[in-house]
Amino acid sequence: MSDDGPSTRAKPEAIGPPRRRMSRTERARENRRRRQFTRRRRAVGVLGAVLVTLAVIGAVFLGSKLWHADGPPVDFTGDGGQQVLIEVHEGDFTTAIAETMLEAGVIASVATFLDAADGNAAIAAIQPGFYRLRAEIPAATAVAQLIDPQNRVGKLVIPEGRQLDDTTDMKTDRVTAGVFSLIADASCLDLNGERHCLSAKDLKRAAETESLETLAVPEWAVGPVTKMGRDHRRIEGLITAGTWNVDPTAPAATVLAKLIRQSAAELDRSGLPATAEQLGMTPYELLVVASLIQREALPHDFAKVARVIDNRLGEPQRLEFDSTVNYPLDRQEVATTDADRAKVTPWNTYASDGLPATPICSPGTEALHAAEHPEPGDWLYFVTIDKDGTTLFTHNYQQHLNNIEMALDNGVLDSSR
């Protein structure tokens, strides 16, 4: 309504004849027709979008193919730049190695490297480890540098029977490098004219001062290791014999932790914890036994020495192994002195009952297997009687004394000691 009163606008008039009202059936047909039309229109729209996308992708792909067909392959040229360090991990295939090198700036293209490496047996057999390469080098050069043994760094080999510290033979003055020295040597790296090395002192200090968690000491070893306080020999035997890879750029504690963690994993895979439980021992005790076997005999007698240990512990009778007397000494000899045997140390089995406080070396797989499977027998004594390593075993103490006389006559033992 306006201010002037009611509206005088004319009412709309119908044009043409009046529309007939549709029946219910007709309305249903009309609605179905409209829905079908809408669906067809949507399908056409989607199909059009897909065709456009495929056209774009095809154009990009074709353009790429034409570019690589007409242009030079993606690759570096020249002698390269600075030296870099890459790591090949366990289980890496050639493609994964190429991706590592690409990320490190060694190569320009994964595909180009794979082409250069195709059919190369040495690349297919590349071992896990650390490799020193030049940055920005041609793919063919990268292949050549990767398979060159001189470019593998950080390879660590720990022979069976080595202990953490260096040892000196009293008769020959020959020094045997310990595990710390072997790790230090393996850590040395010449990179871009500079030499980087850990020292045995660095490693010994880390073994003394770092927490057991930092050193990755396995749970089954925490108790006995804790009892050793800050003695660096608390981690003896936890780095097992074998071939390992050391990151030359890592600090001492990190290197030790990785070696201990990998060694524990190997021991777990070998079944050490389960076997120890079956034998009524802890995994750590079984590791100690294996270390004694390793130092007391040659491999063909390992299982017999394992039985002697088992029999003596069951008597009970002290083990009285010279290897346990020698262990903490800087200068060692097969025949120990009365004075050395009288010293009470955490390891001397002449002065104390039972097993030593820690392993006395890094045992190998054969010694571990012998510790788990002692040979049947009643032996309590054994002695090596000649320089060929012939060892006699007996249950009778008098016979053992007779065997010792043979060792003295053959110069294996010194009667003055």
Side-chain angles (χ1 to χ4, degrees), residues 12 21 23 93 122 146 150 184 210 231 263 278 283 286 357 361 368 403 414:
R21 180 173 298 187
S23 69
F93 292 105
L146 189 61
Q150 297 298 317
E210 297 291 346
D231 192 313
S263 296
Q278 292 172 4
L286 198 55
C361 70
L368 282 162
N403 294 341
D414 186 347

Side-chain angles (χ1 to χ4, degrees), residues 163-361:
Q163 62 186 70
L164 292 173
D165 297 315
D166 297 349
T167 58
T168 304
D169 187 287
M170 287 189 66
K171 287 185 176 180
T172 64
D173 283 336
R174 179 175 175 271
V175 177
T176 299
V179 173
F180 285 151
S181 292
L182 293 174
I183 296 173
D185 289 343
S187 75
C188 286
L189 172 67
D190 293 310
L191 197 69
N192 298 312
E194 295 184 4
R195 187 168 179 80
H196 308 269
C197 291
L198 291 174
S199 70
K201 288 183 177 179
D202 295 332
L203 295 158
K204 181 178 178 180
R205 187 179 306 110
E208 291 173 340
T209 60
E210 297 291 346
S211 69
L212 304 194
E213 183 179 6
T214 299
L215 294 173
V217 172
E219 184 178 353
W220 49 260
V222 168
V225 171
T226 300
K227 290 180 181 178
M228 293 301 297
R230 292 295 184 176
D231 192 313
H232 68 278
R233 288 165 292 200
R234 61 185 179 159
I235 65 167
E236 186 71 82
L238 296 182
I239 301 173
T240 57
T243 301
W244 308 103
N245 294 302
V246 172
D247 183 350
T249 64
T254 302
V255 169
L256 290 177
K258 184 176 180 180
L259 290 170
I260 292 172
R261 187 181 298 109
Q262 291 177 327
S263 296
E266 286 292 323
L267 292 172
D268 286 346
R269 279 192 288 270
S270 74
L272 177 76
T275 303
E277 185 177 0
Q278 292 172 4
L279 296 173
M281 306 175 72
T282 68
Y284 192 81
E285 289 171 338
L286 198 55
L287 188 63
V288 173
V289 170
S291 74
L292 296 176
I293 296 169
Q294 186 75 62
R295 293 299 292 268
E296 284 287 334
L298 296 176
H300 61 270
D301 287 324
F302 278 176
K304 286 186 175 180
V305 173
R307 177 55 63 191
V308 170
I309 295 172
D310 189 58
N311 289 343
R312 285 204 172 195
L313 292 174
E315 280 290 321
Q317 182 177 343
R318 286 183 177 176
L319 294 178
E320 296 184 342
F321 284 179
D322 288 317
S323 58
T324 65
V325 177
N326 272 320
Y327 171 71
L329 303 178
D330 292 332
R331 297 178 64 82
Q332 302 183 351
E333 192 170 6
V334 174
T336 56
T337 66
D338 290 339
D340 288 336
R341 289 192 293 271
K343 293 177 182 176
V344 178
T345 73
W347 303 276
N348 185 358
T349 55
Y350 278 93
S352 302
D353 298 333
L355 295 170
T358 73
I360 60 171
C361 70

